[in-house]
Amino acid sequence: MNSIINKINHWGYLSEQKTGIFLTSIFLSVLLLATAMLYVAPDFNAGFHGAYYAKLSLHPFDVSTPNPVHYRILAPLIGYLTFLKGDLFFFIPLLFAVLLLSSIYINYRKINFSVLESLNMAGIIAFSCAILIPIRAAGYPDTVTYYFIFLAFTSVQKPKLAALFFTLALLNHESSAFVLPGLIAYQNYRNGNKTFTLSKNSLYFIIGCLPYLIYHYYVSINCTVEYNLSFYFLNESFKTDLQSMIPLFIPGLFFTFKLFWIYPVWIIGKSIQTNNYAFIIVLLSIIIGVILQLLIAFDISRMLCLLFPAILLSAEQLKLEMEGNKFAILSTVVILINFAIPQYFASNFGLERLFHLPFGI
């Protein structure tokens, strides 16, 4: 297997030298996305919330027309500005899926992961619900949120830039706020602080919430938006939805990333053995923050996709503790075995199978 790994890495190095790391990453990201579309059959007809986003992209600042997703302005605005609006809006989530996977590949190549290791890091996201759900649910711009959340995590040592990325994620979906504890904890960790504290740099993230709050207020005084605070906190069916969701939490949690959970489980166990509690604080801050969404929202797997930084950071930590091609072999095997497990996603309506081509058409 080492010879195959060396050949893949050699091809990647040659490609990066010839065309540059960006074009190589785009090519590999498109390849990953195409493979994901074989694994889960894509749908290019926006429906449910996707139809609301597509409609908003035609006139993003027309607050005279009610739209349930009016507060989530970023992706519709991008669609409007790039002319990928209306019936073409489904291209926006796919475009950002490629950008997300490309950014992951580039990020890990920059910190001396090999080509295959970096590709597998992107594969963790490509073959999880973070990409598979947007592939199937056309028009859901979740990948836009994940893209800016990823950039926020990778730039935490540049507080103003990280806060800007967090602001953009928040303008795309308010659920990004639940990642804030994880961002602050990771910023502390990268700056050598072993506890969870609010520092001067953390305040930039708080300030980063202001554009969303201002826009939220502007929309609120001009029209009624269905998905508002009352919808989530004063929902009459809250108790019923919560009761129906609880039995589905564990399977929903598993199927969001399936075998990729091996990375945080492995690292948490190893961190306990080595008394590296600072990294555990980071992971728990991400995990607990994201899971708290399920107290008010019941689209289980979609909500839990925001756990992806915990998966990536754990895999990164594991790679740094392994020598030679051990991580490349492990990550490749995990991805291959993962394909053998049927893909489901969970909501309060139950578990739903995501079929591969041609059965999912």
Side-chain angles (χ1 to χ4, degrees):
M1 192 168 185
N2 281 328
S3 62
I4 296 175
I5 291 173
N6 292 335
K7 287 180 181 178
I8 293 173
N9 287 332
H10 180 66
W11 172 87
Y13 298 145
L14 290 178
S15 177
E16 290 177 4
Q17 290 173 1
K18 186 176 181 179
T19 65
I21 189 171
F22 177 73
L23 289 180
T24 299
S25 72
I26 293 295
F27 170 77
L28 292 174
S29 298
V30 170
L31 186 63
L32 286 174
L33 186 62
T35 305
M37 287 181 173
L38 292 174
Y39 184 57
V40 168
D43 188 350
F44 302 123
N45 298 306
F48 301 100
H49 289 186
Y52 294 133
Y53 286 109
K55 182 179 179 181
L56 187 60
S57 69
L58 294 171
H59 305 285
F61 294 117
D62 179 13
V63 292
S64 64
T65 304
N67 191 310
V69 298
H70 240 312
Y71 296 135
R72 305 165 188 174
I73 188 62
L74 184 62
L77 180 58
I78 293 172
Y80 177 79
L81 294 175
T82 59
F83 302 102
L84 295 174
K85 55 188 176 180
D87 293 339
L88 296 178
F89 181 75
F90 74 90
F91 277 112
I92 293 295
L94 298 180
L95 174 63
F96 273 85
V98 171
L99 291 176
L100 171 61
L101 299 177
S102 171
S103 296
I104 294 171
Y105 177 85
I106 291 173
N107 176 71
Y108 287 106
R109 288 291 293 122
K110 286 183 175 179
I111 58 174
N112 295 323
F113 279 48
S114 71
V115 168
L116 182 58
E117 289 166 345
S118 302
L119 181 63
N120 285 349
M121 292 295 284
I124 290 173
I125 305 305
F127 307 128
S128 72
C129 279
I131 296 294
L132 299 178
I133 289 178
I135 283 176
R136 188 59 186 165
Y140 280 65
D142 299 347
T143 52
V144 180
T145 303
Y146 306 150
Y147 174 69
F148 288 112
I149 289 293
F150 177 74
L151 293 182
F153 269 91
T154 58
S155 57
V156 289
Q157 290 184 298
K158 299 177 180 178
K160 294 179 182 178
L161 183 60
L164 173 61
F165 290 137
F166 173 69
T167 299
L168 293 172
L170 199 58
L171 286 168
N172 196 62
H173 202 295
E174 61 274 10
S175 65
S176 302
F178 289 89
V179 184
L180 184 54
L183 270 171
I184 293 173
Y186 186 56
Q187 186 179 69
N188 290 338
Y189 178 79
R190 290 298 301 272
N191 291 331
N193 192 335
K194 296 184 178 181
T195 60
F196 186 94
T197 57
L198 290 175
S199 64
K200 177 184 176 181
N201 289 335
S202 304
L203 293 178
Y204 289 114
F205 290 122
I206 308 301
I207 296 171
C209 296
L210 292 179
Y212 172 78
L213 294 175
I214 292 170
Y215 185 71
H216 187 285
Y217 175 73
Y218 166 74
V219 173
S220 297
I221 62 176
N222 284 282
C223 72
T224 300
V225 180
E226 181 180 354
Y227 297 149
N228 55 21
L229 293 178
S230 297
F231 176 85
Y232 290 107
F233 290 97
L234 301 177
N235 194 330
E236 293 181 0
S237 63
F238 171 81
K239 185 176 180 180
T240 302
D241 288 339
L242 185 61
Q243 289 175 340
S244 66
M245 183 274 294
I246 290 175
L248 293 165
F249 172 70
I250 296 300
L253 187 68
F254 171 74
F255 281 110
T256 303
F257 294 100
K258 294 195 298 189
L259 294 185
F260 299 135
W261 283 112
I262 190 174
Y263 299 120
V265 170
W266 190 327
I267 284 299
I268 287 175
K270 195 170 184 63
S271 296
I272 292 174
Q273 289 180 338
T274 58
N275 296 321
N276 184 14
Y277 295 109
F279 194 72
I280 294 178
I281 290 174
V282 172
L283 296 183
L284 291 182
S285 297
I286 297 170
I287 293 170
I288 293 173
V290 170
I291 288 177
L292 283 176
Q293 291 178 96
L294 299 183
L295 294 176
I296 57 173
F298 307 108
D299 203 352
I300 302 169
S301 292
R302 278 191 66 225
M303 298 297 100
L304 294 179
C305 285
L306 275 175
L307 289 169
F308 79 89
I311 307 293
L312 287 179
L313 292 176
S314 299
E316 175 185 330
Q317 188 68 23
L318 185 59
K319 145 65 185 171
L320 296 176
E321 296 179 5
M322 287 185 162
E323 298 178 352
N325 287 330
K326 288 182 179 179
F327 180 75
I329 295 171
L330 171 66
S331 55
T332 301
V333 169
V334 170
I335 286 175
L336 293 176
I337 296 176
N338 227 27
F339 282 127
I341 302 174
Q343 184 64 54
Y344 289 83
F345 77 94
S347 69
N348 60 315
F349 297 111
L351 280 175
E352 182 174 333
R353 176 80 181 269
L354 294 174
F355 289 96
H356 56 78
L357 287 173
F359 303 105
I361 298 177

